[in-house]
């Protein structure tokens, strides 16, 4: 089949590679978000999907909106049979959905109807899910509500960050997407409507959502920190300045600590929560490089009773 692939970030690359390597389908173009500032230098860069398409000499479409008339006209000229989508990052209007013969098929990183929305992997980690997965479904007007072609599942490991889990789902999901495209091409795969029960939503995670509240229990704090790693990254304040934090680890301690109270030991830095303490991993103070929490604590000379807020 003739395919136009839509995607933007790194997790979309395994799926694009799988489709490019298939001898059954031809990726005639990719659709991705426009070039944008990235990194500490804020240099304008191509999206990971655009960069991979460039390497393969594939046409790259970067419409400011998916309903842009020039984009829709070019999409009609390309005459795709199907448009696979992985983390494109923009809503598709009905004018675009109607163009490919077999519609648009999205790879979503949850077991639908659970965790519809922009941040399903972060939601699964934050809420302590034991099992999550990836789903392929036909895109309809309602958000992530279209009929399902296929599902793969993945166990959420005890110390998974959102980045760890998404990396595994991107790989297993790529195989699912390819098999879905094959099944649609063969005419052997029919989508099944999603159940009305079990719907949950996972909106985009903001920087404010990533602030750690040490007045909450250690287990909840641990899940939040892992859910926002690596993006947007956990943080709190120390001495009135923002302190970026890597994942934390709940531990038992003989001497209690007040919520947010910092205790520096020889090999670890403890911070109190509403239950037991957590051990800090890497930290990054403003204007500094990321470092081990013990190195940071000795450098700033944490005093007895000081707190992270």
């Amino acid at each position: 089949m003739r395919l136009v692939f839509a995607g933007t970030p790194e997790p979309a690359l395994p799926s694009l590679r799988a489709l490019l390597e298939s001898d059954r389908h031809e990726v005639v173009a990719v659709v991705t978000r426009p070039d944008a500032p990235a990194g500490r230098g804020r240099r304008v860069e191509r999206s990971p999907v655009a960069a991979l398409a460039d390497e393969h000499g594939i046409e790259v479409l970067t419409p400011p909106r998916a309903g842009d008339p020039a984009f829709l006209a070019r999409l009609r000229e390309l005459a795709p049979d199907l448009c696979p989508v992985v983390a494109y990052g923009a809503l598709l209007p009905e004018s675009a959905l109607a163009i490919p013969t077999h519609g648009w098929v999205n790879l979503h990183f949850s077991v639908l109807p659970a965790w519809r929305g922009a941040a399903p992997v972060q939601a699964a980690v934050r809420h302590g899910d034991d099992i999550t997965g990836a789903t392929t479904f036909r895109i309809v007007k309602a958000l992530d509500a279209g009929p399902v072609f296929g599902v793969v599942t993945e166990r959420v490991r005890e110390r998974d960050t959102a980045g760890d889990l998404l990396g595994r789902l991107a790989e297993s999901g790529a195989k699912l997407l390819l098999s879905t495209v094959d099944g649609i091409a063969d005419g052997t795969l029919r989508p099944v409507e999603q159940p009305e029960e079990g719907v949950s939503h996972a909106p985009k995670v903001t920087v404010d959502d990533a602030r750690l509240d040490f007045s909450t229990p250690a287990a909840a704090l641990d899940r939040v920190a892992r859910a926002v790693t690596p993006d947007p990254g956990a943080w709190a304040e120390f001495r009135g300045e923002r302190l970026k934090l890597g994942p934390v680890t709940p531990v038992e301690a003989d001497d209690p600590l007040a919520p947010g109270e910092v205790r520096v030991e020889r090999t670890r830095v403890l911070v109190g929560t509403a239950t037991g303490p957590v051990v800090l991993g890497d930290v990054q103070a403003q204007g500094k490089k990321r470092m081990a929490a013990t190195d940071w604590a000795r450098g700033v000379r944490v005093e007895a009773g000081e707190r992270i807020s």
Side-chain angles (χ1 to χ4, degrees), residues 10-11 14 109 120-126 132-133 153-173 222-231 246-249:
E10 198 83 23
F109 296 116
V121 177
Q122 292 93 326
V125 174
R126 189 177 193 127
T132 187
T153 59
E154 176 74 34
R155 182 170 295 279
V156 183
R157 299 171 186 170
E158 184 178 2
R159 299 307 303 161
D160 266 343
T161 65
D164 296 332
L165 182 56
L166 182 56
R168 298 201 305 275
L169 289 173
E171 295 293 339
S172 60
D222 166 42
R223 291 198 303 267
V224 171
R226 288 186 290 110
V228 298
T229 300
D231 184 50
V248 300
T249 306

Side-chain angles (χ1 to χ4, degrees), residues 46-68:
R46 300 280 266 173
S47 75
V49 164
L52 182 58
D54 290 341
E55 291 177 16
H56 289 264
I58 297 170
E59 181 178 353
V60 177
L61 307 175
T62 57
R65 295 175 299 104
D68 180 72

Side-chain angles (χ1 to χ4, degrees), residues 51-251:
L52 182 58
D54 290 341
E55 291 177 16
H56 289 264
I58 297 170
E59 181 178 353
V60 177
L61 307 175
T62 57
R65 295 175 299 104
D68 180 72
F71 164 67
L72 295 177
R74 181 56 185 148
L75 191 60
R76 292 189 191 97
E77 291 173 354
L78 289 166
D81 297 306
L82 179 70
C83 291
V85 185
V86 184
Y88 170 45
L91 295 176
L92 297 163
E94 291 187 79
S95 54
L97 296 179
I99 292 175
T101 306
H102 295 283
W104 298 64
V105 174
N106 190 44
L107 173 65
H108 183 77
F109 296 116
S110 79
V111 179
L112 292 171
W115 303 131
R116 294 176 179 175
V121 177
Q122 292 93 326
V125 174
R126 189 177 193 127
H127 288 81
D129 292 358
D130 293 322
I131 299 291
T132 187
T135 304
T136 49
F137 69 96
R138 178 173 290 144
I139 295 179
V140 297
K141 185 176 180 180
L143 179 65
D144 298 336
V148 169
F149 288 101
V151 173
V152 293
T153 59
E154 176 74 34
R155 182 170 295 279
V156 183
R157 299 171 186 170
E158 184 178 2
R159 299 307 303 161
D160 266 343
T161 65
D164 296 332
L165 182 56
L166 182 56
R168 298 201 305 275
L169 289 173
E171 295 293 339
S172 60
K175 297 174 184 177
L176 172 64
L177 181 61
L178 179 58
S179 67
T180 298
V181 174
D182 288 344
I184 293 172
D186 293 338
T188 58
L189 196 56
R190 296 287 184 270
V192 177
E193 295 295 333
Q194 294 185 35
E196 296 182 3
E197 302 80 22
V199 175
S200 53
H201 298 278
K204 183 178 179 179
V205 177
T206 68
V207 172
D208 288 341
D209 295 329
R211 182 170 187 169
L212 297 187
D213 180 0
F214 287 89
S215 68
T216 57
L221 193 77
D222 166 42
R223 291 198 303 267
V224 171
R226 288 186 290 110
V228 298
T229 300
D231 184 50
W235 63 281
E237 287 190 355
F238 180 75
R239 295 177 183 170
E241 293 188 347
R242 183 172 295 193
L243 182 68
K244 294 182 179 180
L245 301 169
V248 300
T249 306
V251 294

